[in-house]
Amino acid sequence: MLARDMGQTAYLVGGMVRDLAIGCRNIDLDIVIEGDALDLAGVFARATGSSVKGRTKFGTCKIESRAFGTIDLATARSESYRHPGALPDVEASNLKADLARRDFTVNAMAISLDPHRYGRLLDPFGGFADISGGRLRILHPAGFRDDPTRILRGVRFAARFGFTFESGTLARLRACLREGCVGSVSGKRIYTELNLICMEDKARRALGLLGKYRIPESIDPVLGRKTVRSRHMRRLAPAIARVDLSAGEVFAEKRLCWLAGLFFGLKRRQAAHLADRLDLPGREREACLWVSAEVPRTLVKLSRLDAGSAYRVVKLLRPVAPEGIVHLFAASGRRERNLIAAYLKAWRDVSPSLNGRRVVALGIEKGPLVGRVLERLLELRLQGKLTSPEDEIAYVRRRVRLRR
Ligand code: ATP
């Protein structure tokens, strides 16, 4: 209504329209304005007491309102690419041109929010028919070349909705890969897309599709097809489920488990190279490098332990991040798995009943010795040699006497 009063037209676009047509839940409000989105956003914000954030020179912004949450607003625009992988040149335009700059037909539909045509579907490229046929069709012959991240987006949607690439689209995807166009995309953009893939519920299926189309090796030669379709990757999903279950809480970040899976089996130098190529942020880099270098080493150490060495298992696994535990679980044989399971279920929650303050009150001098005594209490508890708070007190008293 407000848009109309200002002589503008508003349309709902993007993933929400696609998901409405498919019948999935989506709450991302993405609105395109034929007119001036920034102007409209200002008036809307004043009228509703909301705020406008992140205005860009491309005429996009976000409205944050109590009633509607976050709304993405954009002036209808068209785009052109100077060279493959480059960011596009942008120009204000109409809805049809705005839909035409999108990736797949299923993502290029709109719903009118104009009071006179409210709720009408605008589908100039046949997105609805493609949804019905379970097809992903690129909008332009040069769509993948212009922006090769669309290959990764396509794989993500294919896995999420169980869609297949339409034959012409698949041929163009393959041609783009043959030409090495993914090589020209910055690590950050590839990482962003890989991360989104790893966040999907169907991450494993999406990674499998990456392998099927030989996309990993086009990102970087150290990533062979086997990295995404390996036995380890197959064992990762049950490991994620099992480790979550054993912890009884959300324990490991699934998307990081999948991302680090790409690094399993790589040599240290290869892993560092891949982390550089993907321009991984600190935490992700650390987790991925750990998986490549430390999973095999930790498993060797674990294989030398048994159920009688609970304390040594705890010492070995305590510093390991949850995602690392998932990978250890996925990579290990039955014996080591049992130790990890026992660690998750019981051993890691064991702690002495005495704390530092009480140990000092019993006569241990303040300083590093307190930590050592607590660690020894833990060890004896895990060995079953101390079973009650009284046992612990008696142990500390004995130590105090011995030191005198
Ligand atoms: P999701 O459900 O994963 O959020 P989405 O389609 O909403 O999927 P967004 O990344 O939020 O994904 O993009 C919103 C819309 O912007 C898309 O539906 C598509 O029309 C367009 N779009 C996004 N990225 C691209 C791209 N690389 N090339 C062309 N169009 C794109």
Side-chain angles (χ1 to χ4, degrees):
M1 199 65 185
L2 187 62
R4 189 173 179 81
D5 290 347
M6 292 172 69
Q8 310 196 16
T9 316
Y11 301 92
L12 186 63
V13 294
M16 193 175 188
V17 179
R18 176 199 64 219
D19 290 351
L20 275 170
I22 294 175
C24 309
R25 193 179 133 79
N26 186 331
I27 48 164
D28 289 343
L29 278 172
D30 203 346
I31 290 176
V32 160
I33 304 296
E34 277 179 337
D36 186 332
L38 299 186
D39 250 14
L40 180 66
V43 176
F44 179 86
R46 278 193 296 282
T48 57
S50 31
S51 55
V52 183
K53 303 252 162 77
R55 288 186 175 84
T56 71
K57 61 178 180 190
F58 305 122
T60 65
C61 63
K62 281 184 191 301
I63 298 177
E64 288 181 2
S65 83
R66 279 231 184 99
F68 306 104
T70 301
I71 304 173
D72 284 305
L73 212 63
T75 303
R77 61 196 196 269
S78 58
E79 288 177 350
S80 55
Y81 293 82
R82 281 187 210 180
H83 59 83
L87 289 174
D89 294 324
V90 175
E91 218 181 328
S93 185
N94 57 20
L95 177 77
K96 176 126 191 248
D98 190 282
L99 294 178
R101 75 183 170 81
R102 292 164 190 267
D103 45 7
F104 300 99
T105 58
V106 298
N107 286 340
M109 300 184 290
I111 292 176
S112 174
L113 300 177
D114 185 84
H116 294 312
R117 289 182 300 162
Y118 194 81
R120 185 185 296 177
L121 179 70
L122 295 121
D123 179 17
F125 304 103
F128 195 83
D130 282 336
I131 286 177
S132 309
R135 286 182 300 264
L136 278 174
R137 186 191 304 271
I138 192 90
L139 275 188
H140 302 287
F144 290 129
R145 244 179 248 144
D146 286 342
D147 178 0
T149 63
R150 290 171 181 162
I151 295 179
L152 298 168
R153 286 176 58 81
V155 163
R156 181 155 59 87
F157 297 129
R160 190 193 297 170
F161 302 121
F163 286 2
T164 51
F165 287 106
E166 168 273 333
S167 59
T169 299
L170 186 57
R172 288 191 177 101
L173 185 155
R174 291 202 155 119
C176 183
L177 292 173
R178 268 197 310 277
E179 289 160 17
C181 61
V182 182
S184 63
V185 182
S186 74
K188 248 197 187 67
R189 294 187 73 208
I190 293 185
Y191 162 67
T192 301
E193 293 300 332
L194 281 179
N195 201 32
L196 288 170
I197 283 179
C198 293
M199 285 162 82
E200 289 285 317
D201 284 345
K202 302 263 168 35
R204 200 193 137 200
R205 187 196 279 180
L207 290 165
L209 287 178
L210 288 183
K212 176 173 170 190
Y213 298 123
R214 301 173 175 250
I215 297 167
E217 50 263 60
S218 79
I219 293 173
D220 194 282
V222 303
L223 270 179
R225 221 171 353 145
K226 288 211 189 96
T227 10
V228 285
R229 306 188 103 192
S230 62
R231 180 164 159 262
H232 185 70
M233 279 300 206
R234 279 199 303 281
R235 293 175 69 167
L236 211 46
I240 290 171
R242 179 72 194 273
V243 169
D244 270 344
L245 259 180
S246 307
E249 64 198 70
V250 179
F251 175 70
E253 246 196 279
K254 283 187 193 172
R255 59 107 208 164
L256 196 44
C257 293
W258 288 114
L259 188 72
L262 299 174
F263 287 72
F264 180 79
L266 295 187
K267 302 209 166 66
R268 190 180 287 266
R269 213 158 24 90
Q270 292 174 315
H273 163 82
L274 184 60
D276 289 343
R277 166 71 181 107
L278 298 178
D279 208 354
L280 291 187
R283 177 167 136 69
E284 283 71 12
R285 187 182 173 93
E286 198 182 314
C288 292
L289 295 187
W290 194 91
V291 164
S292 80
E294 299 301 329
V295 166
R297 292 209 325 220
T298 309
L299 282 184
V300 170
K301 290 183 192 156
L302 206 54
S303 69
R304 296 188 190 123
L305 303 176
D306 57 30
S309 12
Y311 175 68
R312 291 173 66 198
V313 174
V314 169
K315 261 189 91 166
L316 184 64
L317 298 184
R318 198 168 42 190
V320 178
E323 293 78 15
I325 300 277
V326 168
H327 278 277
L328 287 171
F329 199 84
S332 55
R334 182 175 303 162
R335 236 177 60 83
E336 292 78 24
R337 269 171 184 240
N338 288 341
L339 291 179
I340 298 170
Y343 165 75
L344 292 170
K345 216 170 182 170
W347 299 339
R348 71 178 178 146
D349 296 324
V350 174
S351 59
S353 55
L354 298 182
N355 57 22
R357 207 170 35 78
R358 292 201 58 201
V359 164
V360 171
L362 287 166
I364 297 286
E365 74 236 35
K366 278 188 184 161
L369 184 59
V370 177
R372 286 208 296 277
V373 168
L374 287 172
E375 195 63 22
R376 182 77 181 130
L377 287 175
L378 173 67
E379 183 175 357
L380 294 169
R381 277 215 93 133
L382 282 164
Q383 287 171 348
K385 291 181 181 160
L386 302 177
T387 54
S388 66
E390 292 72 36
D391 284 354
E392 289 183 25
I393 292 169
Y395 169 81
V396 176
R397 287 209 168 116
R398 231 173 13 252
R399 269 194 84 147
V400 171
R401 272 201 307 280
L402 283 174
R403 288 181 68 77
R404 285 204 179 118

